[in-house]
Amino acid sequence: MQNYIKHYLNSLAIDYINEDRNLALIERLQAAHLARYSFSSVNALQAKSLSLDDDKVFSRLINLQEGGYCFEHNKIFFLALVALGFDVEILIARVMLNGREENPRSHRLTKLTLEGKHYLLDVGFGVSTPVIALPIDQSSRVSEGVNLYEISRRDRLIDVRQVLPNTQHLYRVELAQFYESDCEIAHFYSHHHPDAAFVNNLVVSRIEKGERWLIRNNLLHYWHETSAVHTQQVIQSREQLHTLLTDTFLLNVGKATSAWLMERYVLAA
């Protein structure tokens, strides 16, 4: 096992060495990842070249804690599962939040095969990420806390919808063979194309124990799933933004970067 993978797994504070290699371990790792490492478009907004080389993506997200999005988060989780001996494959889905059938494949996630059954795993869909392994062998509904997900299976085509507490079509994935080279192409579009969402919007999110936080441009959203509380507030200052990014979202962001984000994306929203 590579040292950067060991460092990542140790940072999740789960005894992966002595744990059985089962679905419960995977879901604990999934939840720990989402609580520790935030989804973030901050690097993409700065027009940085974001290499997906294994050591570089671990350095950026885990060592430097700069945050990232699906092609980074789900690659890290994928490589960790491989190192732990799990049978996993790359999948690339069409994001369906806007309901457009022609959306390109722009979201990386992972297919798990375990004890003859198959699941979708995700740690990189922002504030709407399912914190659970989703069974995909047949159409079904599966719950995690107050969240209810509907999986629709038609031959090799799978649609994932959230039914409760909100209704949204998350993504559509075809069970085909994908490679890291496919991820490179979609990743390049997602952080370089002038029309890509993460090149044009400040998006930061974190999920921990039924609490979900989201910054989208000038708004901070907070959800507490058990109590059904949802609050929303306008971000008022660069100091507030910097505190949120560092304390709430656990990102390593300098004050100068926070000030630039405030001027360019928060105040302009």
Side-chain angles (χ1 to χ4, degrees):
M1 185 184 295
Q2 296 287 349
N3 285 334
Y4 51 77
I5 296 179
K6 289 182 182 178
H7 174 66
Y8 161 68
L9 289 170
N10 289 334
S11 76
L12 300 180
I14 292 174
D15 183 12
Y16 63 90
I17 295 175
N18 298 309
E19 293 277 353
D20 292 335
R21 298 298 190 258
N22 55 25
L23 199 61
L25 172 61
I26 290 176
E27 292 183 338
R28 289 176 64 204
L29 292 170
Q30 201 174 357
H33 180 108
L34 289 163
R36 185 73 180 85
Y37 298 109
S38 286
F39 185 99
S40 170
S41 68
V42 171
N43 277 340
L45 293 174
Q46 298 178 80
K48 292 183 178 180
S49 180
L50 304 176
S51 170
L52 287 182
D53 289 351
D54 296 358
D55 57 341
K56 291 180 180 178
V57 74
F58 274 87
S59 175
R60 195 164 61 244
L61 270 69
I62 309 307
N63 296 343
L64 299 178
Q65 280 207 230
E66 295 181 353
Y69 67 118
C70 67
F71 288 102
E72 300 163 298
H73 282 288
N74 278 320
K75 177 165 189 175
I76 286 171
F77 202 65
F78 176 89
L79 291 174
L81 292 180
V82 170
L84 290 173
F86 288 103
D87 182 359
V88 289
E89 301 172 47
I90 298 167
L91 291 176
I92 306 180
R94 303 181 192 275
V95 177
M96 299 300 294
L97 292 172
N98 64 10
R100 296 175 184 166
E101 296 286 327
E102 70 275 14
N103 286 338
R105 294 187 179 100
S106 62
H107 177 60
R108 175 174 179 157
L109 62 165
T110 300
K111 177 188 172 187
L112 167 72
T113 301
L114 183 65
E115 297 178 349
K117 298 180 181 180
H118 304 92
Y119 304 86
L120 293 183
L121 305 175
D122 201 346
V123 293
F125 201 63
V127 76
S128 296
T129 304
V131 193
I132 190 173
L134 300 173
I136 57 171
D137 287 322
Q138 59 188 11
S139 296
S140 65
R141 286 189 170 189
V142 59
S143 61
E144 181 275 316
V146 302
N147 300 290
L148 178 64
Y149 299 97
E150 180 178 80
I151 296 93
S152 301
R153 174 84 186 251
R154 292 171 291 157
D155 193 18
R156 298 182 64 80
L157 197 65
I158 297 166
D159 283 283
V160 177
R161 293 176 173 84
Q162 184 174 11
V163 179
L164 293 172
N166 303 307
T167 301
Q168 52 183 344
H169 190 175
L170 302 183
Y171 36 73
R172 173 175 295 160
V173 59
E174 183 178 0
L175 297 180
Q177 189 168 37
F178 295 98
Y179 301 94
E180 290 291 348
S181 55
D182 296 306
C183 295
E184 288 280 358
I185 292 173
H187 169 63
F188 185 84
Y189 172 89
S190 296
H191 80 289
H192 276 304
H193 195 282
D195 294 334
F198 300 135
V199 176
N200 292 284
N201 296 281
L202 174 61
V203 182
V204 188
S205 67
R206 192 168 73 86
I207 304 169
E208 182 175 16
K209 296 178 180 178
E211 295 181 280
R212 297 182 185 237
W213 296 266
L214 167 69
I215 291 176
R216 185 170 178 88
N217 295 323
N218 67 329
L219 294 177
L220 169 67
H221 296 265
Y222 168 76
W223 292 265
H224 190 285
E225 294 178 344
T226 303
S227 63
V229 168
H230 174 209
T231 62
Q232 175 180 299
Q233 61 176 293
V234 176
I235 299 171
Q236 301 283 357
S237 69
R238 65 181 65 178
E239 292 80 13
Q240 180 191 10
L241 177 62
H242 183 71
T243 298
L244 286 169
L245 292 175
T246 56
D247 293 358
T248 301
F249 295 96
L250 311 179
L251 293 177
N252 180 19
V253 177
K255 290 184 177 179
T257 299
S258 296
W260 178 79
L261 292 168
M262 185 74 190
E263 294 295 324
R264 183 74 181 270
Y265 297 97
V266 177
L267 293 178

